[in-house]
Amino acid sequence: QTIRLEVPTLHAAQRRVMQGAKRFNVLCMGRRWGKSLFGERLIVRAAASGSPCAWFAPTYKVLSQVWREICETLQPVT
């Protein structure tokens, strides 16, 4: 059985970063670039393929918001 996950759509700059990604990457992005959304997409891809993954944030408030969205996205397979 195939389960399709609804992952966030990336904008053009995020797609360029994703296509050129290497093992280690350094990016300089401003506010509202979509860093959290981009990170969620990376986490969902890693988790769906069975890789261990984690999300870290400076405060619980920031962590809980993103964690809730990741859990909602992965809900069909968890």
Side-chain angles (χ1 to χ4, degrees), residues 55-77:
W55 186 276
F56 298 92
T59 64
Y60 182 75
K61 183 179 177 183
V62 175
L63 175 78
S64 64
Q65 177 184 359
V66 174
W67 179 251
R68 209 173 19 255
E69 293 172 15
I70 291 170
C71 288
E72 285 177 19
T73 301
L74 292 173
Q75 193 276 331
V77 296

Side-chain angles (χ1 to χ4, degrees), residues 10 12-22 27 33 38 41-42 45:
L10 301 177
Q14 291 170 327
R15 282 193 303 271
R16 257 192 327 270
V17 170
M18 185 75 83
Q19 291 167 351
K22 303 293 183 209
L27 304 172
W33 185 83
F38 186 72
R41 172 99 179 219
L42 294 175
R45 282 180 62 183

